[in-house]
Amino acid sequence: MSINSIGFVGTGAITEAMVRGLLATTPYTAEVHLSPRSAEIAARLAADFPSVRVAKDNQAVVDLSDIVFLAIRPQIAREVIEALSFRQGQSVISVVAATERQSLLEWIGAHVHLVQAIPLPFVEDRLGVTAIYPPDVEAAALFNALGNAVQCETKKEYDLLAAVSALMSTYFGVMEFATEWLADKGLERSKGQAYLAPLFQSLADRAQKPDMKSFSALSREFATKGGLNEQVLADFETKGGKAALTQALDGVLARIEGAKS
């Protein structure tokens, strides 16, 4: 599937990742129109891809695009969106974080086809998994080209996936804590990093094999009875690790749902 033109209002890191993913190898679209803001990123993309054009302003992005991505910070979303005029029936994909759908529609002020999405940086390598709401064939095809799309049937499903996507920094934080522990015990940081990165990668690869039934089953597979993995898991669960993680996710979900009020 190919779209003639895609535009991005907002040219930050996630826009750059999506553009690079969409135009890698077999391009997904013939033209990409970028907001002139974040001039350095826009100029870099235009230099790397002949199909990328930097528009004179955000309204030009909307006017020139079949699909318009809203990729702006939530703090300025209302100001930016309300200043734009959209076509009736135009396809709009919002990647604005923690922003209620009804608010977006009110700010847009036109009867558009709106989908919300949570693309992650890995879309640059077409390895991303992206939650979208509501289910949409066109948006799902686009994000499947960037990895995989998970179509959410309800806003609750979408909010829950948005909450767990906040675990990315913690994932790297765990790796950093382990690296620090190794360094404190006398191992060079570079050796610790060189060991932990492929270890975690191998675990992620194992979780995606066709025979994977559940994470709990994998946890049991890797936790020999009376072994070291079982010991660490038990300590994590009984000494506050699971409770802290649950509390953190509850807090993130409350923040996301609070944006709806």
Side-chain angles (χ1 to χ4, degrees):
M1 182 176 182
S2 180
I3 302 297
N4 184 52
S5 60
I6 297 176
F8 291 84
V9 176
T11 316
I14 198 62
T15 290
E16 180 169 18
M18 284 190 287
V19 170
R20 291 190 179 281
L22 289 168
L23 299 181
T25 57
T26 303
Y28 188 82
T29 181
E31 296 178 357
V32 171
H33 301 279
L34 298 180
S35 165
R37 295 195 64 174
S38 300
E40 181 179 346
I41 294 176
R44 182 163 63 239
L45 289 170
D48 290 346
F49 301 101
S51 58
V52 171
R53 296 164 177 80
V54 182
K56 65 178 182 179
D57 54 31
N58 287 334
Q59 185 59 56
V61 171
V62 175
D63 293 342
L64 293 167
S65 302
D66 298 321
I67 298 176
V68 177
F69 275 88
L70 301 177
I72 44 188
R73 292 182 291 111
Q75 296 89 338
I76 62 170
R78 180 173 186 171
E79 174 188 354
V80 172
I81 296 170
E82 285 188 334
L84 300 173
S85 296
F86 294 82
R87 299 189 297 277
Q88 297 295 322
Q90 189 166 20
S91 293
V92 178
I93 299 178
S94 171
V95 300
V96 182
T99 303
E100 171 57 20
R101 177 182 181 81
Q102 188 56 41
S103 295
L104 291 167
L105 290 170
E106 290 173 2
W107 301 341
I108 289 170
H111 186 67
V112 300
H113 190 68
L114 177 66
V115 175
Q116 291 175 272
I118 313 170
L120 305 176
F122 321 110
V123 294
E124 178 173 346
D125 300 312
R126 295 191 171 186
L127 297 173
V129 56
T130 303
I132 66 172
Y133 173 77
D136 182 85
V137 172
E138 183 179 61
L142 188 153
F143 285 111
N144 278 330
L146 294 173
N148 292 289
V150 175
Q151 301 191 64
C152 299
E153 298 294 333
T154 66
K155 186 62 163 60
K156 183 67 174 182
E157 289 182 359
Y158 182 77
D159 288 345
L160 287 170
L161 293 182
V164 296
S165 72
L167 288 171
M168 290 189 294
S169 183
T170 303
Y171 174 88
F172 289 113
V174 168
M175 296 174 74
E176 176 60 22
F177 299 154
T179 302
E180 289 177 352
W181 180 84
L182 289 169
D184 288 343
K185 299 299 181 183
L187 186 70
E188 293 179 15
R189 283 188 61 88
S190 60
K191 289 184 179 179
Q193 291 176 177
Y195 181 83
L196 285 167
L199 171 64
F200 276 65
Q201 177 65 58
S202 297
L203 293 172
D205 290 343
R206 176 65 186 89
Q208 295 191 78
K209 287 190 175 182
D211 67 341
M212 203 284 275
K213 295 189 176 87
S214 69
F215 292 126
S216 61
L218 285 179
S219 181
R220 290 191 298 271
E221 177 185 325
F222 281 83
T224 304
K225 187 68 174 176
L228 304 180
N229 278 277
E230 184 184 64
Q231 177 181 332
V232 173
L233 178 61
D235 281 347
F236 179 83
E237 291 181 336
T238 61
K239 295 182 179 179
K242 184 176 180 179
L245 184 59
T246 299
Q247 183 178 10
L249 291 173
D250 285 344
V252 168
L253 181 61
R255 181 176 173 186
I256 291 169
E257 293 183 331
K260 296 189 287 188
S261 58

